[in-house]
Amino acid sequence: MAAGCEGTAPRTLDEGTVEEEGEPVKPFTPEKAKEIIMSLQQPAIFCNMVFDWPSRHWTAKHLSEVLEGKQIRFRMGRRGTGTVPQFETECSYVDATLEEFLTWNCDQSRNSGPFKDYDHSKFWAYADYKYFVTLFEDKTDVFQEVVWSDFGFPGRNGQESTLWIGSLGAHTPCHLDSYGCNLVFQVQGRKRWHLFPPEDTPFLYPTRIPYEESSVFSKINVVNPDLKRFPQFQKARRHMVTLSPGQVLFVPRHWWHYVESLDPVTVSINSWIELEEDHLARVEEAVTRMLVCTLKTAEDPHHPKTWLNPTEVEETSHEVNSCYLNSAVCAFFDHCEKAKEVEVQALRANREEPSVQEEHMEVEQAHGPSLTAEAGKQEAASLFGPDLVPVTPTSEEERGGTLEGDSKECINSNEEHFTDLSCAGRQQPSKGASAMAEPSDLRYPVAPSRIFVSTDDLLDCLVNPQVTRMVAQLLIQGKSL
């Protein structure tokens, strides 16, 4: 759980300068913010970094005026406490304007145009994954109102961002993102985030059905888990935090998250930051795509909507998927070649001749951060304070009682390091990467009364993130011989 962000008086900043009275100064320079993002391996909240962003005032009401009656798609879900996740394939959808959404949400009238079939007391609405480039295609000037360059990414603005607008109870099922890390700016209302570290993946029961590129879903409704069916979930270490307006949440690579709206209207803006590890991850995703589409299409060729997430609009034929896989592999090798050239040029610039080993570096050894992951983690952690608040593990008492409070304890766990086959960049801790399940779970399995292995059961094994990573590594190694 994270402590609340507090405003402070004039203070010493990270570069040694002092904030002058009456002139707000951001606590981190863009360079320092990026350094934190690229080294920190636990979620954290940045405070006092967006007070001058024009998008700070992007309420749903304001956006309805900017969009001038443009229709957007809302995902409609049922309020309730069932133990089964509400995946997007199980939801219904409504095309409406933001003004119509606000009328339905505020007046709670059943005669609210496109929402007339949805009782406000029984349903929530979520306009999620709305890419700026599509939503504001004729109003590109608004891109400049989101200033991710303040976090050390020059030129990055709304063009690389996504908008999320929801009503009370709207939520995203628990999942991890295959690519990048995530920065989330909370604009209006509050959202509660339930986060779980990558090494807890075996306890989250990952599945690729419904299939969506770059999203690995959990079979568990983490706010109301079925522990009889998913007993290993009790071992997962939940990190829970409430994100308030003006705060920016950093979600590291491969952290699981379930996000729910706590207020009548919530507005968030996020941007996924590309990482070096993404080049190999795209090969893993291509392998996954080919396996899922092949088996599920063979099972039911006429009803792809039952297993394909609505966000997936590309063709899923074997020919297309084969081209996708080959493109991902070629892109990986191209990136490695460029990375090696940059490294050689840097050595020459320093008047150091590259060794034979560096000239003939194996693909899987063509990386190495300047600092170890642990050293980078410790350095970033030393910056924790009122302007950078760590999200720490949540106790059972905190889960069932107060949701917000102060916590000074940071994550402190002994983690093994799993070396990715990437050309450069950070190493991510992956304690559970080599252990698909506890040994005791496999030694004496209890046979069910009736055994039936479905296509989905097989896919859950074949496209488990740990398996696809191994397949991608073997594929890359074989092609590099």
Side-chain angles (χ1 to χ4, degrees), residues 259-412:
V259 190
E260 55 184 333
S261 296
L262 299 181
D263 288 318
V265 180
T266 61
V267 178
S268 308
I269 299 170
N270 89 293
S271 188
W272 286 283
I273 307 299
E274 301 83 2
L275 299 173
E276 289 292 336
E277 295 91 338
D278 292 349
H279 297 283
L280 179 63
R282 294 190 188 282
V283 179
E284 297 173 25
E285 285 297 296
V287 170
T288 299
R289 182 185 182 90
M290 179 170 284
L291 286 171
V292 171
C293 292
T294 298
L295 289 179
K296 293 300 290 184
T297 300
E299 179 185 54
D300 190 356
H302 305 298
H303 300 91
K305 290 186 178 179
T306 60
W307 56 269
L308 194 62
N309 224 37
T311 54
E312 288 296 312
V313 295
E314 296 182 7
E315 187 181 350
T316 57
S317 69
H318 184 77
E319 181 180 5
V320 169
N321 292 338
S322 180
C323 290
Y324 188 81
L325 174 60
N326 278 276
S327 297
V329 172
C330 290
F332 176 85
F333 279 110
D334 288 344
H335 172 73
C336 287
E337 191 63 32
K338 292 176 182 177
K340 186 160 66 172
E341 289 177 5
V342 170
E343 184 176 357
V344 170
Q345 290 174 1
L347 288 170
R348 287 175 178 167
N350 292 329
R351 296 181 179 180
E352 295 179 12
E353 287 298 325
S355 66
V356 175
Q357 180 181 6
E358 289 165 339
E359 287 285 359
H360 301 87
M361 191 176 296
E362 295 288 343
V363 173
E364 66 271 21
Q365 294 176 333
H367 72 287
S370 58
L371 294 174
T372 64
E374 188 62 32
K377 179 180 178 180
Q378 291 176 354
E379 182 178 354
S382 67
L383 296 172
F384 288 148
D387 298 308
L388 182 67
V389 185
V391 180
T392 54
T394 307
S395 67
E396 290 293 339
E397 292 74 15
E398 290 172 318
R399 229 176 287 174
T402 305
L403 296 176
E404 295 182 79
D406 291 338
S407 176
K408 298 180 180 179
E409 183 180 358
C410 300
I411 294 178
N412 181 20

Side-chain angles (χ1 to χ4, degrees), residues 217-268:
F217 291 102
S218 169
K219 295 180 182 179
I220 303 171
N221 179 355
V222 299
V223 296
N224 188 28
D226 183 346
L227 295 179
K228 290 184 178 179
R229 186 180 178 191
F230 306 113
Q232 293 293 313
F233 179 64
Q234 297 179 85
K235 299 178 182 179
R237 293 165 294 170
R238 187 191 306 255
H239 298 58
M240 192 166 64
V241 66
T242 298
L243 194 65
S244 300
Q247 298 176 341
V248 175
L249 175 65
F250 165 64
V251 182
R253 181 176 186 260
H254 285 184
W255 272 71
W256 293 84
H257 48 285
Y258 172 102
V259 190
E260 55 184 333
S261 296
L262 299 181
D263 288 318
V265 180
T266 61
V267 178
S268 308

Side-chain angles (χ1 to χ4, degrees), residues 26-82:
K26 299 190 177 183
F28 304 109
T29 64
E31 295 77 16
K32 177 57 71 174
K34 183 176 182 179
E35 181 182 327
I36 293 170
I37 290 168
M38 301 308 282
S39 61
L40 194 60
Q41 294 177 8
Q42 73 178 95
I45 295 176
F46 285 92
C47 303
N48 303 312
M49 287 290 288
V50 296
F51 56 79
D52 59 347
W53 287 19
S55 54
R56 178 74 173 80
H57 307 289
W58 279 18
T59 63
K61 177 65 175 174
H62 170 76
L63 289 169
S64 70
E65 298 169 356
V66 173
L67 291 172
E68 298 179 325
K70 183 171 184 174
Q71 285 197 331
I72 57 179
R73 176 156 291 188
F74 289 84
R75 177 162 59 95
M76 307 301 297
R78 282 191 172 275
R79 300 179 188 271
T81 57

